[in-house]
């Protein structure tokens, strides 16, 4: 009987020792999982994801999910200690192992949601880059900026896309400024030409008066000729008009050096 009791006591002691050791290991694993979750919740990667604004995301719900998870998981949960007898230690071990698995799943879920936020931001950036690439055709000062944007979009390099978009926008602004300056210069040149045209006097006009036309009321026929529209009137009854004329029917006897008897 004494030997049996000793055997039972030794067996119980070994059982308690094993249960206590199992509980301690389970508690260490649970604490490690809890620490890893807490470190990630306080880490830079999560902070960067939470800093993304909804207007920069293709799917803003990813950010809402992340904020909800990080808030719920930040409180953590109680990690029980390994105390009591064998059965208590075994029950505690089971609880600790469940806690470890739960915290590991929480960490994986938060990480997945963080990456979903970044993927959503990339998708939005690519979409914006595509729109700018299409709308900027023929509107840039330097076509190289658009080629750089195209290459960045094809590589799905978020940072490169953002930089290239800045270059395209700067090139658009440069072209708009150059176009405005050129337009202003053209308008100034046109205004100067119009002002010069208005200040130049009109050229004097001349008219041809055929032979035999009257120069005035009561006057005889006169020879034809060019007359200035700004000149004075000629022949009897007015001042002589400048020009030349030839008699319509000249009398040979009136010509100088002519003998009327011949």
């Amino acid at each position: 009987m004494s030997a049996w009791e000793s055997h039972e006591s030794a067996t119980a002691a070994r059982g308690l020792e094993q249960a206590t050791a199992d509980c301690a290991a389970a508690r260490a694993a649970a604490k490690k999982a809890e620490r890893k979750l807490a470190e990630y919740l306080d880490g830079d990667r999560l902070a960067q994801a939470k800093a993304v604004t909804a207007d920069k995301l293709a799917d803003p719900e990813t950010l809402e999910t992340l904020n909800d998870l990080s808030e719920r998981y930040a409180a953590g949960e109680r990690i029980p200690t390994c105390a009591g007898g064998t059965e208590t230690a075994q029950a505690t071990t089971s609880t600790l192992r469940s806690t470890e698995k739960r915290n590991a799943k929480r960490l994986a879920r938060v990480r997945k949601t963080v990456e979903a936020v970044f993927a959503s931001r990339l998708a939005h950036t690519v979409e914006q880059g595509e729109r700018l690439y299409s709308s900027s055709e023929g509107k840039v000062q330097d076509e190289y900026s658009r080629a750089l944007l195209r290459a960045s979009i094809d590589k799905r390099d978020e940072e490169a896309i953002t930089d290239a978009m800045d270059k395209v926008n700067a090139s658009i602004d440069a072209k708009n400024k150059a176009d405005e300056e050129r337009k202003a210069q053209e308008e100034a040149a046109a205004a100067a030409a119009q002002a010069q045209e208005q200040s130049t006097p009109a050229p004097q006009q001349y008219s041809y008066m055929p032979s035999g036309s009257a120069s005035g009321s009561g006057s005889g026929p006169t020879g034809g000729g060019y007359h200035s529209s700004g000149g004075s009137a000629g022949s009897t009854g007015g001042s002589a008009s400048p020009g030349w004329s030839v008699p319509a029917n000249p009398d040979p006897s009136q010509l100088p050096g002519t003998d009327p008897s011949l």
Side-chain angles (χ1 to χ4, degrees), residues 33 36-37 40-41 45-46 49 61-73 100-118:
K36 290 177 67 176
L37 175 60
Y40 190 82
L41 292 176
R45 186 69 173 172
L46 178 65
E61 291 185 2
T62 57
L63 183 61
E64 296 177 5
T65 301
L66 178 61
N67 289 331
D68 178 65
L69 292 178
S70 60
E71 183 178 352
R72 284 195 288 127
Y73 296 164
E100 177 195 1
K101 292 179 180 179
R102 190 161 47 250
N103 283 333
K105 288 181 179 179
R106 288 175 176 177
L107 176 59
R109 188 178 181 186
V110 174
R111 281 177 170 171
K112 184 178 180 180
T113 307
V114 166
E115 298 309 315
V117 170
F118 289 129

Side-chain angles (χ1 to χ4, degrees), residues 182-207:
R182 182 171 56 254
K183 182 179 179 181
Q185 292 174 356
E186 291 174 352
E187 290 177 349
Q194 184 178 7
Q196 183 178 5
E197 182 180 352
Q198 292 176 351
S199 63
T200 302
Q204 191 175 27
Q205 298 181 354
Y206 292 88
S207 61

Side-chain angles (χ1 to χ4, degrees), residues 13-216:
R14 286 195 299 270
L16 177 59
E17 182 180 358
Q18 185 63 48
T20 302
D22 291 343
C23 183
R27 191 171 192 275
K31 293 289 289 183
K32 181 179 180 180
E34 180 189 49
R35 183 173 63 255
K36 290 177 67 176
L37 175 60
E39 289 175 350
Y40 190 82
L41 292 176
D42 292 336
D44 294 337
R45 186 69 173 172
L46 178 65
Q48 292 171 1
K50 294 180 69 174
V52 179
T53 56
D55 61 311
K56 300 295 183 181
L57 299 174
D59 182 12
E61 291 185 2
T62 57
L63 183 61
E64 296 177 5
T65 301
L66 178 61
N67 289 331
D68 178 65
L69 292 178
S70 60
E71 183 178 352
R72 284 195 288 127
Y73 296 164
E77 60 181 296
R78 177 180 172 273
I79 304 295
T81 58
C82 297
T86 301
E87 293 182 357
T88 301
Q90 291 174 341
T92 302
T93 299
S94 178
T95 300
L96 290 169
R97 287 172 177 169
S98 297
T99 301
E100 177 195 1
K101 292 179 180 179
R102 190 161 47 250
N103 283 333
K105 288 181 179 179
R106 288 175 176 177
L107 176 59
R109 188 178 181 186
V110 174
R111 281 177 170 171
K112 184 178 180 180
T113 307
V114 166
E115 298 309 315
V117 170
F118 289 129
S120 182
R121 186 178 67 179
L122 174 59
H124 178 270
T125 302
V126 170
E127 180 183 0
Q128 294 299 310
E130 290 283 8
R131 288 183 179 179
L132 180 59
Y133 180 78
S134 298
S135 64
S136 62
E137 184 176 2
K139 300 179 180 179
V140 293
Q141 186 80 352
D142 179 12
E143 193 63 30
Y144 173 74
S145 60
R146 292 184 72 249
L148 184 62
L149 176 58
R150 179 72 268 164
S152 301
I153 292 173
D154 294 340
K155 293 179 181 178
R156 296 185 68 82
D157 187 332
E158 185 175 357
E159 184 176 355
I161 293 172
T162 302
D163 293 341
M165 289 176 65
D166 291 340
K167 289 181 173 62
V168 171
N169 286 324
S171 185
I172 291 174
D173 292 340
K175 186 177 187 304
N176 290 338
K177 183 178 180 180
D179 290 344
E180 291 175 359
E181 291 177 351
R182 182 171 56 254
K183 182 179 179 181
Q185 292 174 356
E186 291 174 352
E187 290 177 349
Q194 184 178 7
Q196 183 178 5
E197 182 180 352
Q198 292 176 351
S199 63
T200 302
Q204 191 175 27
Q205 298 181 354
Y206 292 88
S207 61
Y208 177 75
M209 181 179 291
S211 175
S213 62
S215 61

Side-chain angles (χ1 to χ4, degrees), residues 1-26:
M1 197 62 173
S2 176
W4 176 256
E5 289 178 355
S6 296
H7 173 73
E8 286 294 319
S9 178
T11 301
R14 286 195 299 270
L16 177 59
E17 182 180 358
Q18 185 63 48
T20 302
D22 291 343
C23 183

Side-chain angles (χ1 to χ4, degrees), residues 214-220 222 233-241:
S215 61
S217 176
S219 60
T222 63
S235 90
T236 306
S239 302
S241 299

